[in-house]
Amino acid sequence: MIDPTWKPETLAVQGGYRPKATEPRIVPIVQSTTFKYDSADHVARLFDLDCADHFYSRLSNPTTAAFEQKLAQLEGGVGALATSSGQAAISLAILNICRAGQHLVAASTLYGGTYSLFYTTLPKLGISVSFVDPAASAEEIAAQFRPETRLLFAETIGNPGLNVLDFDKFAAVARQQQVPLVIDNTFATPYLCRPFELGADIVVHSATKYIDGHATSLGGAVVDGGRFDWRCGRYAELTEPDASYHGLRYCEKFGAQAYIVKARVQFMRDLGMCAAPLNSFLFNHGLETLPLRMERHSSNALAVARHLQQHPQVSWVNYPGLESHPTYALAQKYLPRGCSGVLTFGIRGGAEAGRRFMEATRLIALVVHVGDLRSSVLHPASTTHRQLTEEQQRASGVLPDLIRLSVGIEHVDDLLADIDQALAAC
Ligand SMILES: *Cc1c(COP(=O)(O)O)cnc(C)c1O
């Protein structure tokens, strides 16, 4: 049996999957679309949601279930749903409780893909989004709420602004407005931060980043904290009958798991952005070493940030583990184990020097990715955030001369040597 009081290091290794005698020691890759049954009755019960066995891998799969359970245990949630990507997880987390004519409030410091989803695509579906500066007061954030607002969204560590969220403030606004706080915990991972303990109700991940950790697979997940009271009168889709399941009421039937069950049996059924079993296997593998990797990513990134800070060719360094960072106090409060592996800095000489730096690194590769155990470098304004206007870029925390480093788990001396030789070539 899995003991939920095990420490994260133990859950990461031993959680999710516990084989019985003669079963494989390692989670098997169940590469099967479908599962065999003997009786029509049994299948009828599956379709009526009266039993939770696997029957079709769009809805659930044993390899994916092992990954989902381990992630839910690490986050301290009541259930998780794996998806084909982080974008799919965010879309599903929102569509599960927000429909045409409704509205959400989001911190403006967001991953570029999330910003595009919120700014361009959700409005096409009739869902409007108001962006707030995460440093705004609780009153200013509350002023963005409307009767049809259904959720508040933010990232634990904004990407790529690297501002640490003021959880107390955001959770208080969400509670006061009676909406769930939905947190993208991709950069922190459940090893560095457990948002449910800080007032979040739903957590989303791009598993593509640190959970995989080896840059092999796209994937994501939605995790349900199980504590939000959907019966407050505004979430009819969870309390009122679902015609596609003979009038089933999710809250009545599934209690604390109503949200995550609905996400699976309704939206995953209908939209189909499901995880591939091989990817779930690799994410499960990644989770096993997550605590070790996050420690090393964090200590290496802090060492690189301190080194850059005293380098004459560097005009500024942005890392929440540095005393100079505007959210340093929040990082100390919410991320005591480390601030993850991503940092940004500006080179004297602006965008042109930035471009030269990226081409001059030898060990650190020019890659559109973060969270890999190999170090990588990127200029967001000309790549990940290039679809945004300069004003939108600045609102997302992207300056024209900003270089983003995703610091890997190599030996820090080799990383510092590579950075120094690349700066010397600029
Ligand atoms: C990468 C990323 C996403 C999107 O995830 P994909 O797996 O690339 O779809 C969402 N949020 C954050 C914070 C990310 O870094």
Side-chain angles (χ1 to χ4, degrees):
M1 281 297 289
I2 289 152
D3 180 345
T5 67
W6 280 342
K7 303 258 186 296
E9 292 82 349
T10 309
L11 284 173
V13 175
Q14 301 276 359
Y17 171 75
R18 300 290 286 169
K20 302 191 197 72
T22 78
E23 288 181 350
R25 179 70 189 97
I26 304 304
V27 179
I29 305 169
V30 182
Q31 192 69 33
S32 182
T33 56
T34 191
F35 300 84
K36 180 189 168 289
Y37 286 90
D38 286 334
S39 83
D41 261 9
H42 196 165
V43 178
R45 286 208 307 283
L46 292 166
F47 277 89
D48 284 346
L49 305 181
D50 286 329
C51 86
D53 295 322
H54 305 292
F55 64 99
Y56 193 59
S57 286
R58 171 156 26 87
L59 283 170
S60 71
N61 168 281
T63 315
T64 297
F67 164 56
E68 289 167 343
Q69 280 156 24
K70 184 186 282 186
L71 183 61
Q73 287 157 2
L74 284 167
E75 286 285 5
V78 296
L81 175 60
T83 60
S84 54
S85 69
Q87 288 302 109
I90 296 166
S91 305
L92 198 138
I94 290 167
L95 294 177
N96 202 31
I97 47 172
C98 201
R99 63 170 68 188
Q102 296 181 338
H103 168 253
L104 67 97
V105 178
S108 59
T109 45
L110 294 170
Y111 172 68
T114 309
Y115 192 86
S116 299
L117 171 69
F118 288 5
Y119 191 80
T120 313
T121 298
L122 289 184
K124 289 184 192 163
L125 302 178
I127 297 170
S128 51
V129 179
S130 299
F131 295 98
V132 293
D133 178 350
S137 70
E139 292 70 29
E140 287 167 317
I141 298 170
Q144 297 299 320
F145 280 70
R146 311 171 186 170
E148 66 274 19
T149 306
R150 286 297 172 270
L151 64 100
L152 176 59
F153 186 98
E155 298 177 353
T156 303
I157 304 175
N159 173 4
L162 306 179
N163 53 301
V164 176
L165 187 72
D166 186 338
F167 275 95
D168 284 352
K169 181 173 71 186
F170 270 68
V173 172
R175 254 196 318 279
Q176 178 209 28
Q177 300 292 328
Q178 285 197 310
V179 302
L181 176 59
V182 181
I183 294 293
D184 183 334
N185 200 31
T186 298
F187 268 33
T189 82
Y191 182 67
L192 298 179
C193 180
R194 304 222 309 169
F196 295 141
E197 291 169 0
L198 304 172
D201 300 291
I202 306 295
V203 163
V204 291
H205 279 285
S206 167
T208 317
K209 312 293 166 56
Y210 290 105
I211 289 177
D212 175 326
H214 302 69
T216 68
S217 310
L218 265 287
V222 183
V223 190
D224 185 353
R227 277 185 309 226
F228 188 79
D229 182 11
W230 305 107
R231 294 165 206 254
C232 61
R234 312 158 90 208
Y235 297 90
E237 54 272 76
L238 282 149
T239 54
E240 298 311 310
D242 178 351
S244 73
Y245 282 108
H246 313 307
L248 169 120
R249 296 167 195 259
Y250 293 97
C251 280
E252 197 175 284
K253 185 155 176 133
F254 299 106
Q257 291 184 307
Y259 172 93
I260 202 71
V261 171
K262 177 177 176 291
R264 181 187 299 281
V265 304
Q266 193 184 67
F267 276 102
M268 189 58 89
R269 176 195 66 185
D270 295 351
L271 300 181
M273 62 270 257
C274 48
L278 174 60
N279 291 3
S280 298
F281 174 85
L282 291 165
F283 294 145
N284 191 62
H285 237 46
L287 284 179
E288 291 172 0
T289 55
L290 184 77
L292 287 175
R293 286 187 286 108
M294 294 318 291
E295 273 173 16
R296 180 64 73 85
H297 279 296
S298 299
S299 63
N300 275 0
L302 183 59
V304 169
R306 289 202 169 122
H307 182 78
L308 287 170
Q309 208 176 22
Q310 47 77 44
H311 199 288
Q313 273 166 275
V314 173
S315 44
W316 53 268
V317 184
N318 185 39
Y319 184 66
L322 291 178
E323 290 79 353
S324 58
H325 193 273
T327 63
Y328 174 73
L330 294 169
Q332 294 294 299
K333 183 172 173 186
Y334 298 124
L335 305 172
R337 291 175 159 175
C339 296
S340 196
V342 180
L343 63 88
T344 59
F345 69 97
I347 292 195
R348 289 192 204 287
E352 189 42 41
R355 251 173 35 83
R356 282 201 300 275
F357 176 83
M358 283 192 291
E359 292 174 354
T361 56
R362 295 177 189 150
L363 184 62
I364 303 172
L366 174 44
V367 164
V368 185
H369 190 59
V370 300
D372 186 7
L373 43 72
R374 286 153 279 254
S375 293
S376 55
V377 60
L378 189 74
H379 181 230
S382 63
T383 54
T384 50
H385 285 64
R386 64 176 294 124
Q387 278 93 357
L388 309 185
T389 64
E390 190 175 326
E391 196 182 315
Q392 289 169 336
Q393 287 182 356
R394 283 180 187 278
S396 307
V398 177
L399 301 171
D401 66 335
L402 180 150
I403 292 179
R404 185 180 75 189
L405 276 182
S406 173
V407 181
I409 65 169
E410 302 94 338
H411 197 288
V412 69
D413 293 350
D414 294 328
L415 294 175
L416 297 181
D418 192 33
I419 288 167
D420 283 349
Q421 70 77 25
L423 283 170
C426 287

